[in-house]
Amino acid sequence: MSAKKLTKDFTNGSIPKQLFWFALPFMASNALQVLYSTIDMIIVGNFVGTAGLSAVSQSSQIINCTTMLCLGVSSAGQVLVSQVLGSGKKRELNSIIGTLFTIITAFSLVLSVAILLFSNWLLKTINVPEESFSMAMEYLIICTAGLVLTAGYNTVSSILRGMGDSKRPLLFIAIASVINLVLDYLFTGLLGWGVAGAAWATIIGQGVSFVFSLYYLYKHRKEFGFDFKLKSLIPNKKYSGMIVSLGTPMAIQSGFINISMLFVNSLVNGVGVVASATFGVGVRIDDIINKLCMGIQYAVIPMISQNTGAGKQKRVQKTVYWAWIYSGIFTVFCIGLYLFFGKEFFMLFSDDPAVHQMSGTFISAILWMFPAFAIMRGSGAFVQGIGNAKFSMVLAILDGVVLRIGLSWLFGIVFDLGFYGFVLGYGLAPYGFALPSMIYFFSGIWKKRKTLADEV
């Protein structure tokens, strides 16, 4: 295997063609990744019932929060790898990758211990319904114990994305999805392990995928750019500082958005177990659609990073424009699916008529969010790709804290719109990230920024 098969040059060639073919595997990979928790919820909903469905959806929000914190740090490594490749400094990859692996492993272990110590407090804080509490605790403990495996897989995928490889992450997640599907049905359905069975299926699937990805990359370590020697895992002081400096705002960004989702969950849970289950299913369906579209964003970030490192600002601008075009087309298609088949999507997860009835309320409120996410696939990816993590963090606080929490409280409590108001506030919040990032892109201020590659 040649090095060209693991790294791709985005500083030359047709941008729309590169973006299209680079994004497709990411979209498929994201779809399979969401399939993990989606399969959990479908099988749990049919074999355990509404209370089990609520348990998985509530615990998944906490798990997603910790996963996204780790992903924020690994994304910093992705941006750094892309800009280094774009500037032609490939010799630095071994030290950068080794440092990133060590930091992510330590960070994920610390998070795991913290979640396990405060699991009871966390579930009570988000107001998990009494009928679901014990099952939510089981799911949370098992999945948290395997967080280091999830973080490891995401780190490998982030590095490969930074190199311009979107096919291997798809292969790794496909392996995990197949294992998860088989074990989910076996543990939860046939053996009757309930919610715990779904959690074990998820962790085992992710663990096997991570081990396989490490083995594959070890076999091709020369092309990958990391020698897998223990001495290479000793953190480099300079790169540690760069990863922490860039990764901390990204982790905080992810954390604030997910913490705000927990707050909205708490408000919804106060309405009752049916509202809790409906919101959980709705967020999962919404997550499938948004993760598919996020494949475009995942492709845009390394393309922008490489061209930023190479000093090709016009290609950076054109990449953002094409991201908006592709994500806009995809968003219109998904809105149509939601309008015509929304209730049928909910019926896949639950056979509870009360959940089906409440699904219409969720759909009518959540559709307001879709245009904002279409904008973010371009301008949001742009802010991350150029390495402006601090600005990205500020926008995330605006989105997650000021608007998501504030608007959910305003519409749901102050205006007394209840469940509809909570979902509406949740849906309108992303405009706090989308619009300022778009204004920043058009302002041209970013052209004067120093690149990360200049500091390597």
Side-chain angles (χ1 to χ4, degrees):
M1 179 179 291
S2 67
K4 289 184 178 179
K5 290 188 177 181
L6 275 179
T7 61
K8 196 164 187 175
D9 181 13
F10 293 118
T11 59
N12 296 286
S14 169
I15 291 174
K17 185 177 179 180
Q18 288 176 339
L19 179 56
F20 181 82
W21 292 111
F22 189 42
L24 283 181
F26 282 139
M27 296 176 77
S29 180
N30 286 348
L32 288 174
Q33 199 161 19
V34 173
L35 197 60
Y36 269 128
S37 50
T38 301
I39 289 173
D40 287 346
M41 293 184 70
I42 291 175
I43 292 179
V44 168
N46 284 277
F47 284 100
V48 183
T50 302
L53 194 61
S54 173
V56 172
S57 67
Q58 302 311 306
S59 291
S60 292
Q61 292 297 329
I62 298 175
I63 294 162
N64 287 342
C65 184
T66 56
T67 301
M68 292 305 293
L69 284 170
C70 292
L71 190 59
V73 178
S74 61
S75 294
Q78 173 188 327
V79 172
L80 185 56
V81 166
S82 291
Q83 291 203 17
V84 165
L85 285 174
S87 64
K89 301 177 180 179
K90 296 181 181 179
R91 291 182 180 179
E92 307 299 326
L93 281 180
N94 190 70
S95 186
I96 292 172
I97 292 173
T99 300
L100 181 62
F101 272 134
T102 301
I103 290 175
I104 284 293
T105 300
F107 186 50
S108 62
L109 289 174
V110 170
L111 280 177
S112 295
V113 172
I115 296 298
L116 291 174
L117 288 175
F118 296 100
S119 56
N120 189 68
W121 176 81
L122 285 168
L123 292 176
K124 287 183 177 180
T125 299
I126 64 173
N127 202 20
V128 173
E130 186 178 344
E131 306 96 307
S132 307
F133 195 91
S134 61
M135 290 185 285
M137 180 67 75
E138 276 187 301
Y139 193 88
L140 179 62
I141 289 174
I142 295 170
C143 288
T144 299
L147 177 62
V148 66
L149 301 175
T150 306
Y153 160 76
N154 283 328
T155 301
V156 171
S157 296
S158 292
I159 294 169
L160 288 172
R161 284 198 297 268
M163 292 179 170
D165 186 352
S166 59
K167 294 179 180 178
R168 273 79 187 179
L170 174 58
L171 170 64
F172 302 148
I173 195 62
I175 293 170
S177 296
V178 171
I179 294 172
N180 184 59
L181 174 60
V182 173
L183 294 183
D184 226 337
Y185 186 76
L186 174 64
F187 293 162
T188 304
L190 298 182
L191 297 180
W193 291 6
V195 166
W200 280 115
T202 298
I203 291 304
I204 293 172
Q206 290 175 339
V208 172
S209 177
F210 178 46
V211 171
F212 181 85
S213 68
L214 285 181
Y215 174 76
Y216 182 90
L217 294 175
Y218 177 78
K219 294 287 287 185
H220 303 283
R221 53 193 178 278
K222 185 176 181 181
E223 298 92 325
F224 182 52
F226 181 62
D227 58 19
F228 283 86
K229 294 179 180 179
L230 287 176
K231 66 178 183 180
S232 297
L233 292 171
I234 299 174
N236 177 285
K237 185 176 180 180
K238 180 173 70 172
Y239 298 142
S240 293
M242 293 177 72
I243 291 171
V244 171
S245 177
L246 184 62
T248 299
M250 287 186 172
I252 292 174
Q253 169 192 347
S254 301
F256 270 120
I257 291 175
N258 282 273
I259 288 171
S260 69
M261 290 176 67
L262 293 177
F263 180 86
V264 178
N265 258 327
S266 178
L267 293 176
V268 172
N269 290 341
V271 181
V273 70
V274 173
S276 174
T278 303
F279 187 75
V281 171
V283 169
R284 183 61 56 220
I285 295 170
D286 175 57
D287 197 31
I288 295 171
I289 295 172
N290 284 319
K291 281 287 175 63
L292 281 169
C293 191
M294 194 177 287
I296 298 172
Q297 183 170 335
Y298 281 169
V300 171
I301 292 173
M303 291 179 69
I304 287 176
S305 294
Q306 280 196 25
N307 283 290
T308 298
K312 297 187 175 183
Q313 295 178 338
K314 288 186 177 180
R315 284 185 65 84
V316 169
Q317 291 175 302
K318 288 181 180 179
T319 302
V320 175
Y321 293 142
W322 277 104
W324 279 333
I325 292 171
Y326 285 143
S327 59
I329 293 171
F330 183 81
T331 298
V332 171
F333 173 73
C334 290
I335 289 175
L337 282 180
Y338 231 143
L339 289 173
F340 291 104
F341 303 105
K343 187 174 181 180
E344 284 73 14
F345 292 155
F346 277 79
M347 292 172 69
L348 290 173
F349 290 84
S350 174
D351 58 3
D352 190 338
V355 172
H356 301 165
Q357 184 176 1
M358 190 172 280
S359 66
T361 304
F362 180 92
I363 294 170
S364 62
I366 203 65
L367 286 177
W368 291 99
M369 181 172 66
F370 282 58
F373 273 114
I375 296 171
M376 288 173 64
R377 299 306 166 230
S379 57
F382 158 76
V383 175
Q384 286 187 301
I386 63 173
N388 196 342
K390 293 181 180 178
F391 182 55
S392 187
M393 180 183 70
V394 171
L395 296 184
I397 294 173
L398 179 61
D399 172 346
V401 179
V402 179
L403 295 181
R404 197 179 303 267
I405 293 177
L407 292 179
S408 295
W409 180 269
L410 177 67
F411 292 130
I413 303 297
V414 178
F415 291 168
D416 198 24
L417 296 178
F419 181 72
Y420 176 82
F422 298 144
V423 180
L424 181 62
Y426 171 88
L428 291 176
Y431 287 96
F433 198 111
L435 297 180
S437 62
M438 183 171 65
I439 293 170
Y440 175 68
F441 169 72
F442 283 119
S443 72
I445 299 173
W446 54 275
K447 295 179 180 179
K448 300 177 183 179
R449 281 180 53 82
K450 189 177 182 181
T451 69
L452 295 173
D454 293 333
E455 302 175 23
V456 172

